[in-house]
């Protein structure tokens, strides 16, 4: 990559022609095995500036986690270049560790059998934080994430929501410039998700850190990210705002309402009735956020029947990617 231009801020993340392939062995008969090359990341080029909040989304197997592993120095690229916080992630991995924080939803950086408090102390020592600074930063994160009652509990005894809040605190102890979150809310209930989202919004506003988020939860993207990158088969097929993505693929949400009794199919303006269950006690109404809001749809339902409970279903990432690929003119080039 070219040297930085004096006076021009360097990007926090820069990828050029990034590729990663794997060789897998598979059966080719009773006694034979053959090798096959799998291309996890085909050709990704992107740039993330300081302070941006970027959602990096795609279907399972699209290449998201492989990209994250190359960005953080866990994997070596097959081809192409990557700079994270101005550093080459693999040879400068130790320096990079001081600049980034990483949370993998399916893995832990906490010590399983130790109290949460001890994990924070060990991580602060690993990052060589001055004792006074480490104590103050730990207190701040514990207070804001509501972890006080869990500090003396072994990590293995924490609930999933408590552990994920602990993981985020651990990733932020050393005040990284870049926070990478890989499926941070997977398996969390709605209250735990919202608490974590509120904290991340406040932390970004305060510190100006850059956020790179991979998730299958569109609620995470909507609450946390200003920019969205959609990746499919190892290539970026969309780069823009969530609003523009919604307009491009006509994203629809579905309001599922449970009524107090049987009811005929609901007719609410600007919605599409997607079906009824239990003699109409549960009904599904699809709507476009560009045309109306969930509150207006609910008001339309309440005017016709008494609502007992409701849920809001977000569009699936797989549906977003499928719609992008079915758009006219896609074959001429990805919408980036």
């Amino acid at each position: 990559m070219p040297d930085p231009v004096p006076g021009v801020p360097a990007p926090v993340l820069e990828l050029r022609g990034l590729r990663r392939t794997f060789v897998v062995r598979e059966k080719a008969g009773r006694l034979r095995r053959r090798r096959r090359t799998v291309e996890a990341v085909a050709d990704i080029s992107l740039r993330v500036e300081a302070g941006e909040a970027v959602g990096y989304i795609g279907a399972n197997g699209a290449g998201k986690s492989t990209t994250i592993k190359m960005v953080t120095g866990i994997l070596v690229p097959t081809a192409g270049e990557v700079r994270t916080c101005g550093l080459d992630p693999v040879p400068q991995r130790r320096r990079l560790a001081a600049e980034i924080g990483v949370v993998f939803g399916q893995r832990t950086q906490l010590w399983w059998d130790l109290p949460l408090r001890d994990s924070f102390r060990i991580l602060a020592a690993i990052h060589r934080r001055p004792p006074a600074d480490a104590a103050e930063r730990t207190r701040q994160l514990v207070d804001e994430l509501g972890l006080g009652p869990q500090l003396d509990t072994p990590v293995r005894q924490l609930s999933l929501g408590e552990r994920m809040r602990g993981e985020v605190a651990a990733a932020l102890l050393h005040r990284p410039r870049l926070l990478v979150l890989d499926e941070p809310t997977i398996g969390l209930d709605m209250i735990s998700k919202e608490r974590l989202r509120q904290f991340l919004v406040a932390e970004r506003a305060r510190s100006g850190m850059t956020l790179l988020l991979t998730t299958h939860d569109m609620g995470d993207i909507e609450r946390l990210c200003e920019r969205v990158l959609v990746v499919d088969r190892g290539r970026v097929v969309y780069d823009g705002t969530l609003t523009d993505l919604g307009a491009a693929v006509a994203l629809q949400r579905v309001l599922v309402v449970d009524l107090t009794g049987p009811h005929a199919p609901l007719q609410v303006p600007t919605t599409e009735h997607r079906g009824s269950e239990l003699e109409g006690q549960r009904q599904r109404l699809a709507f476009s956020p560009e045309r109306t809001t969930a509150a207006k749809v609910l008001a339309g339902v309440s005017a016709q029947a008494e609502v007992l409970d409701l849920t809001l279903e977000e569009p699936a990432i797989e549906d977003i990617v499928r719609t992008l690929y079915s758009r006219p003119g896609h074959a001429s080039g990805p919408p980036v």
Side-chain angles (χ1 to χ4, degrees):
M1 289 187 182
D3 293 332
V5 178
V8 177
V12 169
L13 190 61
E14 188 170 16
L15 282 58
R16 293 192 179 184
L18 198 63
R19 293 180 62 243
R20 175 67 197 201
T21 60
F22 297 93
V23 176
V24 298
R25 294 174 180 269
E26 54 187 22
K27 297 182 82 172
R30 292 182 60 188
L31 301 175
R32 295 178 55 209
R33 289 184 178 272
R34 64 184 176 193
R35 293 185 177 185
R36 181 169 62 91
T37 300
V38 176
E39 194 170 46
V41 173
D43 181 12
I44 290 181
S45 298
L46 59 90
R47 181 183 173 108
V48 176
E49 305 295 343
E52 281 196 278
V54 179
Y56 192 59
I57 65 177
N60 288 329
K64 305 185 302 297
S65 293
T66 301
T67 306
I68 294 300
K69 289 175 182 176
M70 288 188 284
V71 163
T72 56
I74 297 173
L75 285 178
V76 179
T78 302
E81 296 177 289
V82 56
R83 289 289 184 274
T84 306
C85 298
L87 303 171
D88 191 339
V90 175
Q92 297 178 294
R93 192 171 174 183
R94 286 192 177 184
R95 288 179 59 190
L96 183 61
E99 303 289 344
I100 65 172
V102 184
V103 175
F104 290 103
Q106 306 273 14
R107 295 186 178 92
T108 183
Q109 61 187 313
L110 304 172
W111 275 258
W112 199 243
D113 292 314
L114 295 181
L116 190 57
R117 185 192 306 275
D118 290 352
S119 285
F120 291 159
R121 286 173 176 166
I122 293 170
L123 288 166
I126 288 174
H127 286 290
R128 300 180 180 179
R129 306 304 301 177
D133 175 74
E136 173 58 26
R137 180 61 168 163
T138 299
R139 183 200 60 75
Q140 178 190 36
L141 292 169
V142 166
D143 288 348
E144 295 185 1
L145 284 164
L147 289 169
Q150 288 79 42
L151 276 179
D152 295 311
T153 302
V155 171
R156 56 182 166 78
Q157 294 180 10
L158 298 176
S159 70
L160 180 58
E162 292 166 348
R163 183 174 67 79
M164 286 311 302
R165 281 183 279 135
E167 296 283 356
V168 171
L172 292 173
L173 272 173
H174 58 296
R175 295 184 174 87
R177 292 173 56 197
L178 170 65
L179 178 64
V180 180
L181 302 177
D182 190 8
E183 301 286 0
T185 63
I186 189 169
L188 298 188
D189 59 66
M190 291 183 65
I191 295 175
S192 297
K193 284 183 181 182
E194 188 56 29
R195 186 170 194 173
L196 187 55
R197 292 166 181 165
Q198 289 176 357
F199 167 77
L200 290 170
V201 169
E203 178 65 18
R204 280 196 61 240
R206 178 173 53 246
S207 68
M209 73 178 180
T210 306
L211 176 66
L212 181 64
L213 168 70
T214 75
T215 182
H216 276 77
D217 191 324
M218 289 302 293
D220 290 347
I221 299 295
E222 185 175 20
R223 289 281 280 111
L224 298 174
C225 300
E226 300 139 1
R227 176 183 170 197
V228 180
L229 296 167
V230 180
V231 62
D232 184 59
R233 288 174 282 186
R235 290 181 170 85
V236 175
V237 297
Y238 175 85
D239 182 354
T241 66
L242 184 60
T243 300
D244 289 343
L245 177 61
V249 301
L251 292 176
Q252 282 194 319
R253 293 173 169 175
V254 176
L255 184 68
V256 183
V257 290
D258 289 335
L259 308 178
T260 55
H263 200 281
L266 295 164
Q267 301 297 323
V268 179
T270 69
T271 71
E272 174 190 345
H273 189 269
R274 288 281 183 88
S276 301
E277 303 173 31
L278 305 173
E279 299 181 338
Q281 285 188 246
R282 172 170 293 174
Q283 302 199 29
R284 303 165 68 85
L285 299 168
F287 66 95
S288 171
E290 284 72 41
R291 299 183 61 195
T292 188
T293 65
K296 290 180 179 178
V297 175
L298 180 59
V301 172
S302 299
Q304 303 177 50
E306 186 177 352
V307 177
L308 183 64
D309 197 6
L310 62 92
T311 56
L312 187 62
E313 296 179 353
E314 301 287 350
I317 298 294
E318 288 78 4
D319 292 337
I320 295 172
V321 175
R322 189 181 305 113
T323 305
L324 278 173
Y325 266 85
S326 66
R327 295 193 313 169
H330 174 76
S332 63
V336 297

